[in-house]
């Protein structure tokens, strides 16, 4: 199965890269070089070819190369879901980020209709032990890969909730104001809850029966309190409590992702660091398998420094699974030896401290 793939990538004044051009052929890509050379910046640029703020969640103004601050661009030739596309995104001198596909201005949301990009980065290693917000963001990112309109539902919900929170802080008592906003929130909440539940179901199914060296995770969406059958009724009944708190205390924005190491029956938060990392890899691979089954093509997968945390056997198993999927996985590591077991199945590039990138293997 041939996957979605970038064939040409160009970074202009992006992070540490003044001008960087890379040509890919659809195989996995290994980027190796010293820390600080700009390997992760390449992955971040690719992550911006999907809806949202990318894998570092940076604002447009943070992405320009310093000290020039002239604005930045990422350009890519992309083999997408329905053919070849020229994709461009960037920002000019402090302005908002723009997106163009085949020369026409469009929205970030549209990027989800032409491709899917997944990623795993070191900052996610603490996922199971950090606050619920990080897990919720992780869940929504996976959900977005299955339902590109999920982001719009989340934005609509958050906007209406911010307006409701302003009423609460101002001690506004008029039920008509609340009713209108809670109706908007409820409509978006139904979509959010359904999308998240469907994503968890797809991830669980993609792990069942899969031949993998990585442990299966049991997942569930949970709330601090039992979720009601109707969010609108719950918000109406809870206005007095919410007004005292100055914010909305219940809703999809309080959801959490529960994970359990299935073979041991141990909550992910109580697993060892290595087991927690293995569970994350398992979920990214399950996400990729499910998308490949749905779309007929594997997504693009970004793996930052993932090989350094795996023993030789697990690294080889990871590479085998990526190649079996037919996914263009773009991976980083400090040493070329981390990718030895890929052999000719991957392209290899060396990234130097001065920002240069050179091809090591065809």
């Amino acid at each position: 199965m041939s996957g979605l793939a970038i064939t040409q990538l160009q970074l202009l004044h992006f992070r540490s890269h003044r001008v960087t051009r890379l040509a890919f052929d659809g195989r996995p890509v290994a980027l190796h070089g010293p820390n600080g050379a700009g390997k992760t910046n390449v992955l971040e640029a690719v992550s911006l070819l999907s809806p949202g703020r990318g894998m570092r969640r940076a604002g447009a103004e943070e992405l320009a190369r310093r000290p020039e601050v002239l604005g930045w661009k990422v350009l890519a030739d992309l083999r997408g879901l329905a053919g070849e596309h020229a994709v461009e995104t960037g920002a000019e001198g402090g302005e908002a980020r723009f997106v163009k596909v085949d020369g026409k201005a469009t929205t970030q949301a549209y990027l989800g209709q032409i491709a899917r990009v997944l990623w795993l980065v070191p900052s996610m290693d603490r996922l199971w032990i950090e606050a619920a917000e990080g897990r919720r963001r992780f869940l929504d990112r996976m959900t977005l890969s299955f339902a590109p309109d999920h982001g719009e539902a989340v934005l609509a919900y958050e906007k209406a909730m911010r307006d409701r929170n302003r009423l609460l802080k101002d001690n506004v008592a008029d039920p008509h104001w609340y009713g209108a906003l809670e109706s908007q929130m409820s409509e978006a909440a139904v979509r959010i809850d359904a999308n998240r539940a469907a994503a968890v179901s797809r991830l669980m199914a993609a792990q069942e029966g899969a031949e993998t060296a990585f442990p299966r995770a049991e997942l569930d969406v949970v709330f601090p309190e039992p979720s009601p059958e109707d969010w609108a009724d719950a918000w109406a009944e809870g206005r007095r409590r919410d007004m005292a708190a100055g914010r909305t205390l219940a809703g999809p924005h309080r959801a959490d992702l529960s994970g359990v190491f299935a073979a041991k029956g141990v909550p992910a938060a109580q697993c060892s660091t290595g087991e927690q990392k293995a569970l994350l890899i398992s979920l990214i691979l399950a996400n990729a398998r499910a998308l490949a089954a749905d779309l007929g093509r594997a997504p693009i997968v970004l793996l930052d420094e993932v090989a350094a945390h795996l023993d030789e056997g697990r690294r080889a198993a990871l590479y085998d699974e990526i190649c079996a999927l037919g996914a263009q996985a773009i991976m980083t590591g400090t040493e070329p030896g981390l990718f030895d077991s890929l052999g000719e199945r991957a392209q290899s590039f060396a990234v130097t401290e001065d920002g240069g990138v050179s091809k090591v293997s065809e």
Side-chain angles (χ1 to χ4, degrees):
M1 179 191 299
S2 63
L4 304 174
I6 295 165
T7 54
Q8 300 284 336
L9 180 67
Q10 187 174 180
L11 280 57
L12 302 177
H13 296 276
F14 181 85
R15 293 286 195 185
S16 60
H17 296 266
R18 187 187 298 276
V19 179
T20 296
R21 296 181 177 88
L22 296 164
F24 303 138
D25 61 13
R27 286 180 293 165
V29 175
L31 301 173
H32 60 83
N35 291 326
K39 305 183 299 296
T40 301
N41 295 340
V42 175
L43 268 59
E44 182 179 24
V46 176
S47 74
L48 293 171
L49 303 177
S50 65
R53 298 171 63 181
M55 67 187 204
R56 282 175 170 150
R57 304 185 70 248
E61 71 283 355
E62 301 176 65
L63 300 173
R65 177 182 165 89
R66 307 288 175 172
E68 299 102 314
V69 196
L70 300 173
W72 57 273
K73 287 184 181 179
V74 174
L75 303 96
D77 291 341
L78 175 66
R79 188 171 70 213
L81 292 170
E84 306 285 336
H85 297 283
V87 182
E88 179 181 349
T89 187
E92 299 292 343
E95 296 182 3
R97 179 182 157 201
F98 66 83
V99 175
K100 293 181 180 179
V101 176
D102 299 326
K104 298 180 180 179
T106 187
T107 64
Q108 292 183 31
Y110 181 70
L111 295 173
Q113 298 181 30
I114 63 175
R116 301 287 197 281
V117 183
L118 311 179
W119 57 77
L120 184 60
V121 298
S123 62
M124 295 161 67
D125 288 355
R126 294 179 55 81
L127 183 81
W128 302 113
I129 57 175
E130 66 180 0
E133 180 183 1
R135 288 184 294 279
R136 188 164 53 248
R137 191 161 54 241
F138 179 72
L139 170 61
D140 280 335
R141 188 73 217 172
M142 291 190 294
T143 301
L144 189 65
S145 74
F146 294 112
D149 65 344
H150 181 67
E152 297 174 359
V154 172
L155 289 175
Y157 174 82
E158 291 178 345
K159 180 181 184 304
M161 183 176 66
R162 285 195 299 271
D163 291 341
R164 183 178 187 268
N165 287 346
R166 277 194 287 270
L167 295 180
L168 295 168
K169 289 178 181 178
D170 292 342
N171 292 312
V172 174
D174 188 340
H176 297 293
W177 285 96
Y178 286 102
L181 291 172
E182 288 162 3
S183 177
Q184 295 175 32
M185 291 169 63
S186 181
E187 182 179 345
V190 168
R191 294 167 59 195
I192 291 169
D193 289 343
N195 287 342
R196 286 172 172 169
V200 166
S201 178
R202 293 291 291 114
L203 291 166
M204 294 286 285
Q207 294 180 92
E208 290 290 345
E211 294 186 12
T212 176
F214 298 92
R216 186 171 64 86
E218 293 180 353
L219 302 175
D220 194 15
V221 181
V222 298
F223 293 87
E225 302 174 2
S227 57
E229 293 185 4
D230 189 305
W231 283 118
D233 287 346
W235 290 319
E237 294 171 4
R239 287 173 194 163
R240 186 180 298 276
R241 183 182 70 159
D242 289 354
M243 190 175 291
R247 67 186 189 280
T248 303
L249 295 174
H253 65 288
R254 298 296 305 281
D256 195 356
L257 179 66
S258 167
V260 174
F261 191 132
K264 296 184 175 182
V266 176
Q270 297 176 18
C271 290
S272 70
T273 301
E275 289 171 336
Q276 290 178 1
K277 183 75 171 186
L279 286 170
L280 282 175
I281 294 173
S282 178
L283 289 177
I284 293 298
L285 291 173
N287 197 170
R289 282 195 297 271
L291 284 173
D294 289 350
L295 305 173
R297 290 191 175 191
I300 297 167
V301 181
L302 310 177
L303 300 174
D304 191 22
E305 300 290 351
V306 69
H309 300 281
L310 301 175
D311 58 35
E312 186 176 351
R314 275 272 175 85
R315 283 201 299 270
L318 173 62
Y319 301 153
D320 287 346
E321 292 196 42
I322 288 169
C323 292
L325 268 172
Q328 184 186 56
I330 306 177
M331 301 168 283
T332 67
T334 54
E335 301 293 336
L338 293 170
F339 305 103
D340 282 350
S341 58
L342 271 167
E344 296 182 356
R345 295 180 296 173
Q347 291 179 280
S348 182
F349 295 82
V351 184
T352 57
E353 290 183 342
D354 62 1
V357 183
S358 59
K359 185 182 290 187
V360 176
S361 67
E362 292 297 333

